[in-house]
Amino acid sequence: MSNAAVEVAGLWAGYNRHTALRDVSFTIEPGCLAGLVGPNGSGKSTLMKVMLGLHQSWRGAVRIFDKDGKEYKGRIGYTPQFELIDWAFPVTAYDVVLMGRYGKLGLVRRPTKRDHEIAMQALERVGMADRRQRGIGELSGGEQRRVLVARALAQESDLLLFDEPLAGVDATAQHDLLRLLEELRVDGQTLFVATHDLSCVAANFDHVVLLNRSVVAFGRAEEVFTEELLSKTFQRHLLVLPGEDRTFVGP
């Protein structure tokens, strides 16, 4: 029996004959805020889709809280990349969060009083209850991301996967989101966050997976954010600024 929240072992996946993931293995402990870092095309989104059961792996295994990933996918919350969402769709913030309950309703059931209560609790948790009737297109970028987090929370998830939640927001919104992720971690949630922001990961995350189709390194940021490992991960896409305290700037 494993105590890991996430255990990925020997995972291979791709599209047609194109290999997106090559022999990927790592573990994430329960209650951990873990980062997934790599350049565009490194397989980050594919990895999350395999963990969610949305993409079939070629071989290897994913176990979530010591259960097969397929058995556990109803307990995984997910927020996709921001640009993949149609923010002009005519729904309110509350509607979006309530959609997080639909996977538990089946094809014919309507949301119950309890489902509505859970949706409201999720909005309150992310500080968006007072904006619940606003159209999603009327919200700021930071508010939209908070709504997506609330939607994932409404799924009553044990594991939360976030695909680039920090991209394209200003410093204030980024700070607020990071504080929210930290609060969720303190509450016992396990979070796995794909991001290009190396400085945020170094300052706030427990562990990080460096990925470029295969795992380059896994461990604490101070252990794996070295010039050698980051250069191997990002190759020509990494700018290294040397100084007394070396600073690494991602793409």
Side-chain angles (χ1 to χ4, degrees):
M1 298 289 289
S2 170
N3 292 323
V6 177
E7 187 173 7
V8 177
L11 192 69
W12 290 72
Y15 306 90
N16 299 320
R17 296 183 179 180
H18 172 71
T19 301
L21 298 172
R22 182 186 302 112
D23 197 22
V24 170
S25 299
F26 62 89
T27 60
I28 298 175
E29 298 174 2
C32 179
L33 174 54
L36 178 61
V37 172
N40 291 332
S42 61
K44 298 189 300 295
S45 294
T46 300
L47 173 58
M48 288 193 168
K49 289 176 182 177
V50 171
M51 293 172 66
L52 288 161
L54 300 177
H55 185 74
Q56 181 66 44
S57 62
W58 292 345
R59 61 178 179 271
V62 175
R63 295 188 68 78
I64 309 295
F65 293 98
D66 207 40
K67 293 185 178 181
D68 183 273
K70 293 180 181 178
E71 299 175 24
Y72 216 86
K73 71 176 186 176
R75 302 291 292 183
I76 303 176
Y78 172 63
T79 66
Q81 292 185 20
F82 190 73
E83 62 268 20
L84 299 180
I85 298 171
D86 180 8
W87 294 106
F89 197 76
V91 291
T92 66
Y94 183 82
D95 294 331
V96 172
V97 177
L98 188 60
M99 289 175 189
R101 301 296 303 163
Y102 289 175
K104 301 180 182 298
L105 297 179
L107 296 176
V108 296
R109 284 183 53 202
R110 296 175 61 85
T112 65
K113 179 181 178 181
R114 179 58 180 158
D115 293 316
H116 286 283
E117 289 174 349
I118 291 172
M120 273 303 304
Q121 290 169 1
L123 280 164
E124 291 168 355
R125 184 68 186 80
V126 303
M128 288 294 294
D130 61 337
R131 306 255 177 141
R132 62 187 179 276
Q133 296 305 326
R134 297 282 296 272
I136 56 170
E138 302 173 29
L139 303 175
S140 69
E143 291 171 339
Q144 289 170 338
R145 283 161 174 79
R146 283 179 170 271
V147 169
L148 292 182
V149 174
R151 181 182 181 276
L153 292 175
Q155 295 176 246
E156 295 184 304
S157 308
D158 299 313
L159 171 67
L160 299 175
L161 305 182
F162 299 104
D163 198 349
E164 300 289 352
L166 303 173
V169 294
D170 60 30
T172 300
Q174 186 178 88
H175 179 269
D176 289 344
L177 281 168
L178 286 169
R179 183 172 58 186
L180 174 59
L181 295 182
E182 171 62 16
E183 290 172 356
L184 294 173
R185 185 193 68 79
V186 170
D187 286 348
Q189 292 278 1
T190 303
L191 305 99
F192 194 31
V193 181
T195 180
H196 286 98
D197 196 319
L198 305 185
S199 61
C200 284
V201 173
N204 300 281
F205 287 43
D206 300 310
H207 294 91
V208 56
V209 178
L210 294 182
L211 183 72
N212 195 340
R213 299 193 181 180
S214 60
V215 174
V216 177
F218 170 71
R220 293 190 172 276
E222 61 265 28
E223 299 169 349
V224 302
F225 278 7
T226 66
E227 182 175 349
E228 177 184 1
L229 291 174
L230 287 172
S231 294
K232 186 176 180 181
T233 302
F234 287 95
Q235 299 172 359
R236 294 172 297 174
H237 304 288
L238 181 74
L239 174 64
V240 181
L241 300 179
E244 183 177 352
D245 295 317
R246 183 171 294 139
T247 302
F248 298 93
V249 183

